[in-house]
Amino acid sequence: MSNNGRAEQKNVLGSPLVPCCLDPITGWYRDGFCRTDEHDQGSHTVCSQLTSTFLEYTKSLGNDLSTPRPQFGFPGLSPGDRWCLCAGRWREALRAGVAPVVVLEATHESALRLNTLNEMSNN
């Protein structure tokens, strides 16, 4: 898939994928979309609105999303920000009872490989 392949990518509802967040810029390609390709080992496909509970949870697992890392152009995330999460991390958070709300229109259809539409809709 090319970097320009946004148009053919679908969300979990079967319609065209819409942006998750442009400020801060998110996505595997850092273009605002939770689109993916064969190089995206983590499958950054679940668009979620972050909570303080989730940010604390993922930090406790070694993935600190709240601390700014200016050397990498990463501003640090806050509760309320939207971010493309790894499908597996979202599933872990679901099992732990701390999964953030999913923005279905901006969540890539490949997230359905690990998570059901029902799980992502009802959280």
PDB file of all heavy atoms in Angstrom, residues 2-23:
ATOM      1  N   SER A   2       0.493   2.216  -0.744  1.00  0.00           N
ATOM      2  CA  SER A   2       1.282   3.439  -0.831  1.00  0.00           C
ATOM      3  C   SER A   2       0.898   4.401   0.286  1.00  0.00           C
ATOM      4  O   SER A   2      -0.141   4.276   0.910  1.00  0.00           O
ATOM      5  CB  SER A   2       1.030   4.118  -2.177  1.00  0.00           C
ATOM      6  OG  SER A   2      -0.264   4.680  -2.204  1.00  0.00           O
ATOM      7  N   ASN A   3       1.754   5.396   0.497  1.00  0.00           N
ATOM      8  CA  ASN A   3       1.463   6.423   1.492  1.00  0.00           C
ATOM      9  C   ASN A   3       0.238   7.243   1.113  1.00  0.00           C
ATOM     10  O   ASN A   3      -0.349   7.910   1.940  1.00  0.00           O
ATOM     11  CB  ASN A   3       2.661   7.356   1.661  1.00  0.00           C
ATOM     12  CG  ASN A   3       3.704   6.776   2.578  1.00  0.00           C
ATOM     13  OD1 ASN A   3       3.500   5.714   3.159  1.00  0.00           O
ATOM     14  ND2 ASN A   3       4.811   7.452   2.712  1.00  0.00           N
ATOM     15  N   ASN A   4      -0.136   7.212  -0.152  1.00  0.00           N
ATOM     16  CA  ASN A   4      -1.280   7.983  -0.599  1.00  0.00           C
ATOM     17  C   ASN A   4      -2.555   7.152  -0.596  1.00  0.00           C
ATOM     18  O   ASN A   4      -3.529   7.525  -1.210  1.00  0.00           O
ATOM     19  CB  ASN A   4      -1.013   8.532  -2.004  1.00  0.00           C
ATOM     20  CG  ASN A   4       0.175   9.456  -2.011  1.00  0.00           C
ATOM     21  OD1 ASN A   4       0.405  10.175  -1.050  1.00  0.00           O
ATOM     22  ND2 ASN A   4       0.954   9.433  -3.083  1.00  0.00           N
ATOM     23  N   GLY A   5      -2.569   6.010   0.087  1.00  0.00           N
ATOM     24  CA  GLY A   5      -3.675   5.076   0.038  1.00  0.00           C
ATOM     25  C   GLY A   5      -4.818   5.357   0.981  1.00  0.00           C
ATOM     26  O   GLY A   5      -5.563   4.458   1.324  1.00  0.00           O
ATOM     27  N   ARG A   6      -5.014   6.587   1.415  1.00  0.00           N
ATOM     28  CA  ARG A   6      -6.087   6.891   2.347  1.00  0.00           C
ATOM     29  C   ARG A   6      -7.457   6.582   1.797  1.00  0.00           C
ATOM     30  O   ARG A   6      -8.306   6.056   2.497  1.00  0.00           O
ATOM     31  CB  ARG A   6      -6.069   8.367   2.733  1.00  0.00           C
ATOM     32  CG  ARG A   6      -5.159   8.680   3.853  1.00  0.00           C
ATOM     33  CD  ARG A   6      -5.398  10.075   4.290  1.00  0.00           C
ATOM     34  NE  ARG A   6      -4.842  10.977   3.308  1.00  0.00           N
ATOM     35  CZ  ARG A   6      -4.332  12.149   3.566  1.00  0.00           C
ATOM     36  NH1 ARG A   6      -4.338  12.609   4.777  1.00  0.00           N
ATOM     37  NH2 ARG A   6      -3.841  12.896   2.639  1.00  0.00           N
ATOM     38  N   ALA A   7      -7.693   6.907   0.538  1.00  0.00           N
ATOM     39  CA  ALA A   7      -9.036   6.805  -0.030  1.00  0.00           C
ATOM     40  C   ALA A   7      -9.586   5.386   0.015  1.00  0.00           C
ATOM     41  O   ALA A   7     -10.767   5.195   0.254  1.00  0.00           O
ATOM     42  CB  ALA A   7      -9.042   7.329  -1.460  1.00  0.00           C
ATOM     43  N   GLU A   8      -8.741   4.398  -0.189  1.00  0.00           N
ATOM     44  CA  GLU A   8      -9.252   3.028  -0.227  1.00  0.00           C
ATOM     45  C   GLU A   8      -9.381   2.412   1.160  1.00  0.00           C
ATOM     46  O   GLU A   8      -9.903   1.318   1.294  1.00  0.00           O
ATOM     47  CB  GLU A   8      -8.386   2.151  -1.130  1.00  0.00           C
ATOM     48  CG  GLU A   8      -7.032   1.839  -0.557  1.00  0.00           C
ATOM     49  CD  GLU A   8      -5.863   2.524  -1.242  1.00  0.00           C
ATOM     50  OE1 GLU A   8      -6.070   3.468  -2.016  1.00  0.00           O
ATOM     51  OE2 GLU A   8      -4.733   2.104  -0.968  1.00  0.00           O
ATOM     52  N   GLN A   9      -8.921   3.075   2.189  1.00  0.00           N
ATOM     53  CA  GLN A   9      -8.990   2.486   3.520  1.00  0.00           C
ATOM     54  C   GLN A   9     -10.347   2.788   4.166  1.00  0.00           C
ATOM     55  O   GLN A   9     -10.868   3.888   4.057  1.00  0.00           O
ATOM     56  CB  GLN A   9      -7.824   2.974   4.372  1.00  0.00           C
ATOM     57  CG  GLN A   9      -6.519   2.482   3.760  1.00  0.00           C
ATOM     58  CD  GLN A   9      -5.385   2.397   4.752  1.00  0.00           C
ATOM     59  OE1 GLN A   9      -5.587   2.277   5.949  1.00  0.00           O
ATOM     60  NE2 GLN A   9      -4.174   2.449   4.240  1.00  0.00           N
ATOM     61  N   LYS A  10     -10.884   1.773   4.827  1.00  0.00           N
ATOM     62  CA  LYS A  10     -12.228   1.857   5.413  1.00  0.00           C
ATOM     63  C   LYS A  10     -12.166   1.818   6.939  1.00  0.00           C
ATOM     64  O   LYS A  10     -11.220   1.300   7.529  1.00  0.00           O
ATOM     65  CB  LYS A  10     -13.078   0.674   4.938  1.00  0.00           C
ATOM     66  CG  LYS A  10     -13.195   0.547   3.446  1.00  0.00           C
ATOM     67  CD  LYS A  10     -14.222   1.485   2.916  1.00  0.00           C
ATOM     68  CE  LYS A  10     -14.455   1.200   1.427  1.00  0.00           C
ATOM     69  NZ  LYS A  10     -14.909   2.371   0.734  1.00  0.00           N
ATOM     70  N   ASN A  11     -13.229   2.322   7.549  1.00  0.00           N
ATOM     71  CA  ASN A  11     -13.348   2.238   8.999  1.00  0.00           C
ATOM     72  C   ASN A  11     -14.107   0.966   9.374  1.00  0.00           C
ATOM     73  O   ASN A  11     -14.514   0.197   8.508  1.00  0.00           O
ATOM     74  CB  ASN A  11     -13.995   3.506   9.579  1.00  0.00           C
ATOM     75  CG  ASN A  11     -15.417   3.717   9.098  1.00  0.00           C
ATOM     76  OD1 ASN A  11     -16.173   2.791   8.857  1.00  0.00           O
ATOM     77  ND2 ASN A  11     -15.785   4.980   8.973  1.00  0.00           N
ATOM     78  N   VAL A  12     -14.301   0.754  10.664  1.00  0.00           N
ATOM     79  CA  VAL A  12     -14.961  -0.463  11.147  1.00  0.00           C
ATOM     80  C   VAL A  12     -16.439  -0.527  10.772  1.00  0.00           C
ATOM     81  O   VAL A  12     -17.061  -1.582  10.884  1.00  0.00           O
ATOM     82  CB  VAL A  12     -14.804  -0.637  12.687  1.00  0.00           C
ATOM     83  CG1 VAL A  12     -13.344  -0.859  13.052  1.00  0.00           C
ATOM     84  CG2 VAL A  12     -15.378   0.559  13.437  1.00  0.00           C
ATOM     85  N   LEU A  13     -16.992   0.572  10.292  1.00  0.00           N
ATOM     86  CA  LEU A  13     -18.385   0.615   9.863  1.00  0.00           C
ATOM     87  C   LEU A  13     -18.521   0.362   8.364  1.00  0.00           C
ATOM     88  O   LEU A  13     -19.635   0.317   7.836  1.00  0.00           O
ATOM     89  CB  LEU A  13     -19.004   1.966  10.231  1.00  0.00           C
ATOM     90  CG  LEU A  13     -18.956   2.324  11.724  1.00  0.00           C
ATOM     91  CD1 LEU A  13     -19.421   3.748  11.949  1.00  0.00           C
ATOM     92  CD2 LEU A  13     -19.756   1.332  12.540  1.00  0.00           C
ATOM     93  N   GLY A  14     -17.364   0.228   7.673  1.00  0.00           N
ATOM     94  CA  GLY A  14     -17.364  -0.036   6.242  1.00  0.00           C
ATOM     95  C   GLY A  14     -17.374   1.196   5.366  1.00  0.00           C
ATOM     96  O   GLY A  14     -17.427   1.100   4.146  1.00  0.00           O
ATOM     97  N   SER A  15     -17.338   2.377   5.962  1.00  0.00           N
ATOM     98  CA  SER A  15     -17.294   3.609   5.182  1.00  0.00           C
ATOM     99  C   SER A  15     -15.870   4.159   5.152  1.00  0.00           C
ATOM    100  O   SER A  15     -14.998   3.648   5.847  1.00  0.00           O
ATOM    101  CB  SER A  15     -18.281   4.638   5.718  1.00  0.00           C
ATOM    102  OG  SER A  15     -18.470   4.535   7.088  1.00  0.00           O
ATOM    103  N   PRO A  16     -15.631   5.200   4.346  1.00  0.00           N
ATOM    104  CA  PRO A  16     -14.273   5.746   4.263  1.00  0.00           C
ATOM    105  C   PRO A  16     -13.764   6.209   5.635  1.00  0.00           C
ATOM    106  O   PRO A  16     -14.508   6.796   6.425  1.00  0.00           O
ATOM    107  CB  PRO A  16     -14.413   6.921   3.299  1.00  0.00           C
ATOM    108  CG  PRO A  16     -15.586   6.552   2.446  1.00  0.00           C
ATOM    109  CD  PRO A  16     -16.533   5.831   3.381  1.00  0.00           C
ATOM    110  N   LEU A  17     -12.514   5.929   5.879  1.00  0.00           N
ATOM    111  CA  LEU A  17     -11.859   6.312   7.126  1.00  0.00           C
ATOM    112  C   LEU A  17     -11.778   7.833   7.219  1.00  0.00           C
ATOM    113  O   LEU A  17     -11.414   8.503   6.247  1.00  0.00           O
ATOM    114  CB  LEU A  17     -10.451   5.706   7.142  1.00  0.00           C
ATOM    115  CG  LEU A  17      -9.664   5.756   8.438  1.00  0.00           C
ATOM    116  CD1 LEU A  17     -10.343   4.910   9.516  1.00  0.00           C
ATOM    117  CD2 LEU A  17      -8.246   5.240   8.198  1.00  0.00           C
ATOM    118  N   VAL A  18     -12.155   8.385   8.369  1.00  0.00           N
ATOM    119  CA  VAL A  18     -12.049   9.828   8.598  1.00  0.00           C
ATOM    120  C   VAL A  18     -10.895  10.089   9.563  1.00  0.00           C
ATOM    121  O   VAL A  18     -10.448   9.180  10.268  1.00  0.00           O
ATOM    122  CB  VAL A  18     -13.375  10.426   9.136  1.00  0.00           C
ATOM    123  CG1 VAL A  18     -14.519  10.188   8.169  1.00  0.00           C
ATOM    124  CG2 VAL A  18     -13.705   9.886  10.510  1.00  0.00           C
ATOM    125  N   PRO A  19     -10.395  11.331   9.616  1.00  0.00           N
ATOM    126  CA  PRO A  19      -9.268  11.621  10.521  1.00  0.00           C
ATOM    127  C   PRO A  19      -9.629  11.378  11.983  1.00  0.00           C
ATOM    128  O   PRO A  19     -10.762  11.617  12.400  1.00  0.00           O
ATOM    129  CB  PRO A  19      -8.975  13.099  10.284  1.00  0.00           C
ATOM    130  CG  PRO A  19      -9.623  13.441   8.989  1.00  0.00           C
ATOM    131  CD  PRO A  19     -10.782  12.503   8.836  1.00  0.00           C
ATOM    132  N   CYS A  20      -8.646  10.942  12.738  1.00  0.00           N
ATOM    133  CA  CYS A  20      -8.793  10.764  14.179  1.00  0.00           C
ATOM    134  C   CYS A  20      -8.455  12.068  14.890  1.00  0.00           C
ATOM    135  O   CYS A  20      -9.233  12.571  15.676  1.00  0.00           O
ATOM    136  CB  CYS A  20      -7.866   9.632  14.656  1.00  0.00           C
ATOM    137  SG  CYS A  20      -7.909   9.328  16.431  1.00  0.00           S
ATOM    138  N   CYS A  21      -7.274  12.612  14.592  1.00  0.00           N
ATOM    139  CA  CYS A  21      -6.857  13.858  15.236  1.00  0.00           C
ATOM    140  C   CYS A  21      -5.714  14.495  14.461  1.00  0.00           C
ATOM    141  O   CYS A  21      -4.774  13.808  14.064  1.00  0.00           O
ATOM    142  CB  CYS A  21      -6.426  13.584  16.677  1.00  0.00           C
ATOM    143  SG  CYS A  21      -6.146  15.088  17.625  1.00  0.00           S
ATOM    144  N   LEU A  22      -5.803  15.799  14.302  1.00  0.00           N
ATOM    145  CA  LEU A  22      -4.744  16.551  13.630  1.00  0.00           C
ATOM    146  C   LEU A  22      -3.940  17.398  14.601  1.00  0.00           C
ATOM    147  O   LEU A  22      -2.886  17.917  14.252  1.00  0.00           O
ATOM    148  CB  LEU A  22      -5.354  17.435  12.528  1.00  0.00           C
ATOM    149  CG  LEU A  22      -6.096  16.659  11.439  1.00  0.00           C
ATOM    150  CD1 LEU A  22      -6.823  17.606  10.497  1.00  0.00           C
ATOM    151  CD2 LEU A  22      -5.143  15.751  10.672  1.00  0.00           C
ATOM    152  N   ASP A  23      -4.440  17.568  15.833  1.00  0.00           N
ATOM    153  CA  ASP A  23      -3.725  18.352  16.842  1.00  0.00           C
ATOM    154  C   ASP A  23      -4.003  17.768  18.218  1.00  0.00           C
ATOM    155  O   ASP A  23      -5.054  18.034  18.787  1.00  0.00           O
ATOM    156  CB  ASP A  23      -4.154  19.812  16.779  1.00  0.00           C
ATOM    157  CG  ASP A  23      -3.350  20.691  17.743  1.00  0.00           C
ATOM    158  OD1 ASP A  23      -2.233  20.282  18.135  1.00  0.00           O
ATOM    159  OD2 ASP A  23      -3.838  21.775  18.093  1.00  0.00           O
TER     160      ASP A  23
END
